Amino acid sequence: MSAITELGYMAIGVKDLGRWKAFAGEILGLEVVDEGEPGRCYLRMDFWHHRLILEEDGSDDLQCLGLRVAGPEEFAAMQRVLRDGGVSHQICSRAEAEGRHVLEMMKLEDPNGNPLEIFHGPHVQYSKPFHPGRRMYGRFATGSGGLGHCIIRNRDLDATYRFYRLLGMRGGIEYRIPRPDGTVGEALFMHCNDRDHTIAFGIGGSKRINHVMIEAERFDDLAYTYELVQQRNIPVGITLGKHSNDHQYSFYFLNPSGWLIEYGWGARPASHQSEYYQEDFYGHQFQPHVLTPNWEALDLQKAAE
Ligand code: FE
């Protein structure tokens, strides 16, 4: 049995690498590592060589998610699972894997066209302790929970559920939110470790990615980040609040690519049992004047089709 164990890394395409580097270091507190590769830099959160890769490709969107399996046997078993499940995938060369700083890697797409890389053996640098891009009270909560979680593009919740079950993840519908027009919005959350969810679906936008959540170990870092975001006039898309599913206290703000960063603290471990909610504990008010540009882009795109 092979299963994804964590969201190990994420590659992000950006238009303005300089702005992103400043944002990642000065606002998020990530360590910015430039290894002299043109148009690319790495962002660290812990001992890993990187948790995020920034690529200046002009897309301002997700390039791919890096999903980890435990080791070489699980990597081989995952290939058999994909082959038996009729999922096309491409085993990467040693050079390609080395380019990602992992031992082995394969590429595939989920049913929504989101690019994935399944890998094992990340390069972990214990000789290079994490050095935050600006002052921090504590560290990022990664460990066995991976880098955090994300919400990515969805076209078909049932097909998405079946696909990520094949990858060994578990989950289900966690929110059923009544809309003013009488319909109900459903969101699907999949997990693979003690983090409540690692990849979620059902909340739209014009891009592949809606948001990525990174979690601070100390409340002070959430509050300090909130103050920095206010000082720099960075638009807050969803106000401070506490989620019903992961119990995370968090807020969402725009990154230089126009999608959202969720900065969180205080999540509970996954319950590993299904529950659903119609609303959060409190807070998390959507700010339409910030989020609207995305919806306009979506409508424009639809009109152009
Ligand atoms: Fe989230």
Side-chain angles (χ1 to χ4, degrees):
M1 178 63 189
S2 180
I4 300 302
T5 58
E6 66 174 294
L7 173 58
Y9 63 84
M10 179 184 281
I12 296 167
V14 305
K15 272 203 188 88
D16 188 336
L17 190 60
R19 268 186 81 199
W20 251 102
K21 281 163 114 170
F23 174 83
E26 295 167 22
I27 305 297
L28 303 182
L30 301 174
E31 180 178 351
V32 179
V33 178
D34 189 332
E35 297 191 338
E37 297 169 271
R40 176 185 296 169
C41 80
Y42 300 98
L43 304 176
R44 296 180 87 225
M45 298 174 71
D46 51 21
F47 287 107
W48 282 40
H49 177 271
H50 60 266
R51 289 293 194 167
L52 296 160
I53 305 164
L54 299 180
E55 297 262 11
E56 201 165 36
D57 69 353
S59 70
D60 273 339
D61 203 354
L62 177 70
Q63 273 195 343
C64 76
L65 301 182
L67 302 176
R68 185 183 192 181
V69 292
E73 289 174 24
E74 289 79 4
F75 187 78
M78 183 62 80
Q79 291 174 52
R80 289 193 294 274
V81 165
L82 293 173
R83 200 172 52 232
D84 294 347
V87 178
S88 69
H89 56 284
Q90 176 208 332
I91 308 300
C92 298
S93 66
R94 183 178 173 129
E96 280 179 290
E98 282 175 357
R100 286 294 201 226
H101 302 262
V102 299
L103 290 174
E104 286 189 286
M105 181 176 92
M106 65 177 108
K107 291 186 179 190
L108 65 161
E109 282 191 0
D110 80 358
N112 312 302
N114 298 308
L116 308 178
E117 294 175 357
I118 295 177
F119 73 97
H120 76 90
H123 182 199
V124 182
Q125 300 170 298
Y126 289 116
S127 60
K128 189 178 176 184
F130 171 64
H131 185 276
R134 44 94 170 153
R135 294 180 194 282
M136 283 186 74
Y137 290 92
R139 289 291 178 258
F140 288 105
T142 54
S144 60
L147 78 87
H149 73 236
C150 59
I151 293 192
I152 58 173
R153 182 172 60 191
N154 163 67
R155 292 188 183 127
D156 178 342
L157 283 185
D158 290 335
T160 299
Y161 177 77
R162 286 196 302 274
F163 176 83
Y164 285 94
R165 278 296 291 140
L166 194 66
L167 301 192
M169 299 180 77
R170 297 187 61 215
I173 300 296
E174 291 187 4
Y175 281 89
R176 277 192 170 159
I177 303 169
R179 295 194 188 104
D181 65 3
T183 61
V184 176
E186 289 196 327
L188 170 70
F189 292 77
M190 302 301 291
H191 67 269
C192 54
N193 51 43
D194 275 345
R195 198 179 282 288
D196 176 84
H197 55 279
T198 287
I199 315 178
F201 305 89
I203 293 166
S206 56
K207 295 176 182 288
R208 283 176 180 159
I209 189 162
N210 170 273
H211 74 266
V212 61
M213 189 287 304
I214 55 176
E215 182 182 355
E217 286 182 346
R218 287 187 55 168
F219 176 81
D220 300 308
D221 282 312
L222 172 68
Y224 190 69
T225 305
Y226 187 76
E227 189 166 73
L228 286 174
V229 165
Q230 300 294 320
Q231 284 170 358
R232 302 287 188 96
N233 292 315
I234 295 171
V236 171
I238 303 175
T239 62
L240 282 162
K242 183 166 173 170
H243 283 307
S244 293
N245 58 353
D246 61 4
H247 290 196
Q248 188 119 236
Y249 190 59
S250 66
F251 72 112
Y252 298 65
F253 50 100
L254 285 186
N255 64 45
S257 291
W259 48 274
L260 295 166
I261 301 291
E262 179 183 8
Y263 212 95
W265 165 81
R268 68 168 170 173
S271 70
H272 301 293
Q273 299 193 90
S274 63
E275 294 179 358
Y276 84 97
Y277 325 97
Q278 294 187 324
E279 59 197 356
D280 275 344
F281 278 72
Y282 42 73
H284 282 156
Q285 301 302 319
F286 280 60
Q287 303 299 298
H289 62 286
V290 173
L291 298 173
T292 296
N294 277 338
W295 296 111
E296 280 175 354
L298 182 65
D299 290 343
L300 284 173
Q301 216 171 39
K302 271 185 187 160
E305 279 169 6

